[in-house]
Amino acid sequence: MRFNLWEDCNRVPLTELLSFIVDNRGKTVPTAPSGHKLIATNCVTNNTLFPVYDKIRYLSEETYQTWFRAHPIPGDILFVNKGTPGRVCLVPDPVDFCIAQDMIALRADESKIYPKYLFTVLRSREIQQQIYNTNVGDVIPHFKKQFLDQLLIPIPERSIQESIGDLYYVLSLKAERNKKINDNLADLLQTIYQERFVNDILAVNQGVLSDICSYSRDKVAVSELNIRTYFSTENMLSGKAGSTEATSLPTTSQTIACHKGDTLISNIRPYFKKIVYCEDKCGCSTDVLCFTPSQPRYSAYLFSTLYADKFFAFMVAGSKGTKMPRGDKQQIMTYPVVLPSEEELAGFNTIASPLLEQIYSNRAENKRLSILRDTLLPKLMSGEIDVSAVQL
């Protein structure tokens, strides 16, 4: 069946499709060193299906039991209503957390709407635009809870809801699993590096970073780049999470050229730990440092050296500026490193190279999944593609 959800379906106010809205008391809760998880707005991003747990804080047992009127349950939709209103993600199973201020959790009435379909529609351009148009506040945008009834949700028959919701969920879940696999592979690679070249430093030669790499001096024409091959501090992700597509290209005719095997690190606010391994020819802004290995066989070793928390701590310690610190390029090249023998390097590459290939193969697949999801779903909703022709 091919039809336009936005034109051919009845639209129902969002509040009529909910069985419950979970919120807190509108105050900042006292946190603790450990205990129950507290999900804040920075844990919710439209790039992920579930909350980002590496940004959580904690609550004591007493606060957990007494501070909130209700707690989210699996399947609820977390909805950020202040700062960047409209960001949503799903509450996973199992769940043991509360939500901080500036966020609510929406519980779908399953007799009226398929929860995964509602989640998909809330991420659509149309609903996101409605949220944007309803925001109040110039400095810090705020979407008031009473405006939920102004969000009109198209309601097709149940089978279509399930097809659209399940498709979006499956594509997003595959990307989430790839990310978890990559996190484990990156941790494994770093463990191998640490065991071989850091924990046994007495057995190897010592040097500095400039012995194994230099900064790229090559240039590339911006006309040869695209949003997938250009890296700036804006589209590199914090926490060593790789990158997203750039939103734009530089206005200059040329920029820094990067090559397969190079490692990119954002030089602005290095404590964000933004790092990318180059899988092919690309370009980067002047706010990004492009480390080129002195020899190709040092590529994986260089990336592992720069990936270490110890390196970022060294870079932060030598950075200049307070409001927007930048790494000192000369100081960075004095970072102490191990100079492995040919045999040691070959042995490391035998393990490291396949791991890096798998990590970036997964990331490439995630980019394809993201493109598929973000182009296919609007076409399904607008009727350009027959929803009945899509099989999971």
Side-chain angles (χ1 to χ4, degrees):
M1 183 181 299
R2 183 175 297 183
F3 62 94
N4 191 318
L5 290 179
W6 306 106
E7 297 176 359
D8 302 330
C9 295
N10 291 329
R11 294 206 197 181
V12 178
L14 175 58
T15 49
E16 295 183 15
L17 302 172
L18 304 176
S19 63
F20 196 72
I21 298 176
V22 181
D23 62 359
N24 59 32
R25 301 181 188 279
K27 299 179 181 179
T28 303
V29 294
T31 57
S34 61
H36 294 277
K37 297 181 180 70
L38 175 68
I39 298 296
T41 57
N42 64 340
C43 299
V44 178
T45 166
N46 279 342
N47 292 325
T48 58
L49 186 63
F50 304 119
V52 180
Y53 282 112
D54 58 358
K55 298 181 180 180
I56 60 172
R57 290 174 289 170
Y58 296 93
L59 304 174
S60 67
E61 180 66 29
E62 179 182 4
T63 301
Y64 181 77
Q65 295 297 336
T66 62
W67 194 264
F68 296 90
R69 290 188 286 265
H71 304 286
I73 63 174
D76 285 356
I77 301 169
L78 299 185
F79 183 101
V80 174
N81 58 356
K82 191 173 183 180
T84 311
R87 284 177 289 154
V88 293
C89 66
L90 287 172
V91 175
D93 184 14
V95 61
D96 177 21
F97 62 69
C98 290
I99 55 175
Q101 64 183 136
D102 303 332
M103 193 189 325
I104 56 179
L106 310 176
R107 189 168 301 162
D109 183 340
E110 296 194 39
S111 67
K112 299 178 179 179
I113 191 169
Y114 187 53
K116 292 175 184 175
Y117 169 75
L118 175 58
F119 173 72
T120 303
V121 173
L122 288 175
R123 282 195 169 183
S124 68
R125 288 193 297 263
E126 289 79 3
I127 296 298
Q128 288 292 311
Q129 186 63 48
Q130 289 182 41
I131 293 171
Y132 177 82
N133 293 340
T134 314
N135 289 341
V136 297
D138 295 327
V139 179
I140 303 178
H142 185 198
F143 182 89
K144 294 184 178 181
K145 188 169 66 173
Q146 56 263 38
F147 292 161
L148 289 173
D149 61 356
Q150 297 184 29
L151 301 181
L152 303 179
I153 309 299
I155 305 297
E157 61 183 67
R158 187 74 175 199
S159 61
I160 294 178
Q161 292 183 37
E162 292 175 353
S163 295
I164 292 176
D166 287 344
L167 176 62
Y168 191 95
Y169 183 83
V170 167
L171 293 175
S172 299
L173 185 61
K174 174 61 175 173
E176 292 283 324
R177 288 174 175 170
N178 280 347
K179 184 181 181 302
K180 289 182 179 179
I181 291 172
N182 278 1
D183 290 343
N184 291 334
L185 292 176
D187 289 342
L188 174 60
L189 178 58
Q190 189 60 203
T191 298
I192 295 170
Y193 168 80
Q194 294 285 337
E195 288 178 348
R196 293 191 175 209
F197 303 112
V198 177
N199 298 336
D200 191 21
I201 60 175
L202 296 179
V204 292
N205 296 324
Q206 296 292 297
V208 293
L209 190 60
S210 60
D211 292 327
I212 63 172
C213 71
S214 60
Y215 297 117
S216 174
R217 298 178 181 272
D218 296 339
K219 298 292 183 179
V220 61
V222 173
S223 59
E224 297 180 17
L225 302 174
N226 57 55
I227 57 174
R228 291 182 293 278
T229 58
Y230 176 70
F231 298 90
S232 70
T233 189
E234 285 78 19
N235 71 309
M236 294 175 68
L237 302 176
S238 58
K240 309 175 186 178
S243 66
T244 59
E245 292 183 351
T247 56
S248 62
L249 297 177
T251 56
T252 56
S253 60
Q254 291 184 323
T255 192
I256 299 172
C258 315
H259 307 280
K260 180 178 175 63
D262 290 354
T263 295
L264 306 181
I265 290 183
S266 173
N267 199 34
I268 296 180
R269 295 175 177 168
Y271 48 78
F272 282 135
K273 301 179 182 178
K274 297 181 178 182
I275 181 171
V276 168
Y277 181 79
C278 297
E279 279 294 288
D280 209 338
K281 292 181 179 180
C282 54
C284 68
S285 73
T286 55
D287 291 328
V288 174
L289 301 178
C290 178
F291 296 85
T292 299
S294 57
Q295 299 180 46
R297 64 178 182 273
Y298 276 112
S299 292
Y301 181 75
L302 173 63
F303 173 76
S304 300
T305 299
L306 300 177
Y307 190 91
D309 288 337
K310 185 178 179 181
F311 168 76
F312 282 102
F314 181 87
M315 188 175 175
V316 169
S319 61
K320 298 178 179 179
T322 54
K323 186 176 181 180
M324 191 173 290
R326 294 171 179 264
D328 183 324
K329 295 176 69 174
Q330 290 185 335
Q331 179 260 359
I332 289 171
M333 282 298 178
T334 67
Y335 178 67
V337 299
V338 169
L339 300 178
S341 66
E342 293 293 328
E343 183 179 355
E344 290 168 331
L345 187 61
F348 176 72
N349 284 339
T350 299
I351 300 173
S353 295
L355 290 178
L356 277 176
E357 289 177 7
Q358 185 61 53
I359 288 173
Y360 287 91
S361 172
N362 289 343
R363 284 187 177 166
E365 182 181 20
N366 277 5
K367 289 181 180 180
R368 291 192 295 270
L369 289 171
S370 177
I371 293 172
L372 175 63
R373 181 188 64 191
D374 295 339
T375 56
L376 179 61
L377 267 297
K379 292 181 183 296
L380 288 174
M381 292 182 174
S382 67
E384 292 181 55
I385 298 178
D386 186 352
V387 68
S388 64
V390 178
Q391 296 183 2
L392 298 178

